[in-house]
Amino acid sequence: MAILTAPGLATGTAYATPAAPAAPEPGVKSLEQVHKEIEDLYHQAGSATDAYNQAEAETKAQSEKIVELANLIVAGQNRIDTLKSRAGAAARAQYRSGGLPPGAQLALSEDPSQFLDGAKRLRQGEKATSDMLSELDRTQNDLRQYAADASARWAILEANRVKQEAAKKEIEGKIKAAEELENKLQAEEKARLIQLEQEAQYKAQTAWLSTGAMKDVNGAATDAGKRAVQFATAQIGKPYVWGAEGPGSYDCSGLTSQAWRAAGKGIPRTSQEQLRLLPKVAVKDMRPGDLIIYFDDASHVGMYIGDGAMVHAPRPGRNVTIAGAGSMPIKAVVRPDA
């Protein structure tokens, strides 16, 4: 197996040794410091994006539940109207019979056969009336519970809306700060910044491989895993946009969730929920299609595609690409089709 030793590069690919940058003037940040600051800002934006996506998913779920409850309330009210109509019909029938209750009418009957038949019908009528009143009571109780549930769901919906707004502001603030730092750089510095990113990834991938992490990794993809990998790699070159789920752009978990949806398997929307809800597997057991969760806060995710590589949507300003599976700190590996 040809193990990927540098992000997007085959074994043996070497970087040209860059000329040593001039020492920065006192009080001026070095390019390395700027690089770290930019990476930190984008990492924080990634964490906020996961929070936004989770709040959005919860908002959608609560909205669907509220619609379901509204339909139940309408159906319950219709049922109450029907029961009240039946009760009204019974009252009108009693009025037409002279206002005497069925028991009194039965007692006045002079025909024994009519008395016995009437007694049977009276018992049936009493049971029907009792059942109707019980059903009316249950339906009214259900309506009260549905209304209470709907109110609680609205409260959750509003809380999620507040979370989304807060996360959105944080994301936009972090991205703006990072972009402002990048925009201050000259063209040569921007090129060097990209090189610094590649060097950091290469160093991390090399260190990861040196641990023997890939020594026993040879799992074969399932049919669904192959479809997921095919979908994900077909998106290479499309831009990262926070909160995006395609088809023209993606964030990291938008890419992985849509890839597995295309493979016929629905999975959680965010990297943190993917970590929490999907079965975990050891790195040595991972196979193409598995998801690699990165960083302690599980704020990033990529899809393992084999040969020590993964495909992911990196961050704002970058496109979906292939990178080394160990080019970032791995928190866990999870399997959508366990």
Side-chain angles (χ1 to χ4, degrees):
M1 170 179 353
I3 304 300
L4 197 70
T5 57
L9 301 174
T11 304
T13 301
Y15 288 104
T17 302
E25 298 177 8
V28 178
K29 294 178 182 177
S30 69
L31 192 58
E32 286 75 8
Q33 289 173 318
V34 172
H35 168 251
K36 183 180 186 309
E37 192 170 340
I38 288 173
E39 289 299 306
D40 287 345
L41 285 167
Y42 280 128
H43 180 88
Q44 292 167 32
S47 297
T49 297
D50 223 40
Y52 177 92
N53 290 337
Q54 182 60 28
E56 184 177 46
E58 290 173 356
T59 296
K60 182 179 179 182
Q62 296 301 333
S63 297
E64 291 172 351
K65 189 63 179 178
I66 288 170
V67 170
E68 180 184 336
L69 287 168
N71 289 333
L72 288 172
I73 289 172
V74 170
Q77 190 58 59
N78 289 338
R79 184 59 181 158
I80 285 176
D81 292 343
T82 299
L83 292 170
K84 286 182 176 179
S85 177
R86 284 170 52 190
R92 289 190 295 274
Q94 182 175 329
Y95 175 79
R96 287 193 297 270
S97 66
L100 291 174
Q105 295 180 45
L106 183 61
L108 294 175
S109 174
E110 297 179 353
D111 186 334
S113 63
Q114 288 183 350
F115 181 89
L116 292 173
D117 182 57
K120 179 180 179 181
R121 286 188 285 108
L122 177 60
R123 287 193 299 272
Q124 291 173 338
E126 288 174 342
K127 183 178 186 304
T129 300
S130 175
D131 289 347
M132 181 176 65
L133 292 174
S134 295
E135 184 175 355
L136 181 61
D137 186 57
R138 284 196 305 272
T139 304
Q140 288 174 329
N141 286 335
D142 287 345
L143 281 180
R144 285 191 286 270
Q145 186 60 53
Y146 295 153
D149 287 349
S151 295
R153 298 284 180 179
W154 274 115
I156 296 173
L157 194 67
E158 176 61 16
N160 283 330
R161 186 193 66 77
V162 172
K163 286 180 186 177
Q164 277 186 276
E165 286 300 315
K168 181 179 179 181
K169 288 180 181 178
E170 182 177 359
I171 294 163
E172 291 174 344
K174 299 298 183 184
I175 291 175
K176 182 180 179 181
E179 289 175 343
E180 287 176 350
L181 282 173
E182 288 190 86
N183 291 336
K184 291 177 182 177
L185 301 176
Q186 300 297 320
E188 291 181 0
E189 292 175 316
K190 289 181 180 179
R192 171 62 181 156
L193 191 67
I194 293 175
Q195 191 173 15
L196 285 173
E197 289 179 17
Q198 293 175 338
E199 288 172 355
Q201 293 173 10
Y202 172 72
K203 182 178 180 181
Q205 175 78 349
T206 301
W208 181 65
L209 292 175
S210 69
T211 66
M214 287 295 300
K215 182 168 64 74
D216 298 320
V217 178
N218 55 13
T222 61
D223 288 341
K226 290 176 182 177
R227 292 194 297 271
V229 168
Q230 287 169 355
F231 179 94
T233 53
Q235 312 314 308
I236 289 174
K238 293 183 179 180
Y240 177 106
V241 173
W242 72 267
E245 298 179 84
S249 58
Y250 297 87
D251 63 18
C252 65
S253 57
L255 176 65
T256 55
S257 60
Q258 289 301 310
W260 271 102
R261 179 172 293 181
K265 175 75 173 179
I267 64 172
R269 168 66 176 88
T270 70
S271 56
Q272 292 174 348
E273 288 297 281
Q274 289 168 3
L275 171 65
R276 188 173 73 87
L277 297 176
L278 298 179
K280 296 177 181 61
V281 296
V283 170
K284 66 180 181 63
D285 297 323
M286 69 180 176
R287 65 194 186 198
D290 287 347
L291 306 183
I292 306 175
I293 310 295
Y294 293 100
F295 303 112
D296 287 340
D297 59 359
S299 59
H300 192 71
V301 60
M303 178 180 291
Y304 183 64
I305 60 174
D307 289 345
M310 60 90 172
V311 60
H312 70 146
R315 65 165 176 81
R318 300 291 183 263
N319 299 329
V320 176
T321 189
I322 291 175
S327 58
M328 291 174 286
I330 295 175
K331 182 174 181 66
V333 178
V334 296
R335 178 161 294 166
D337 62 339

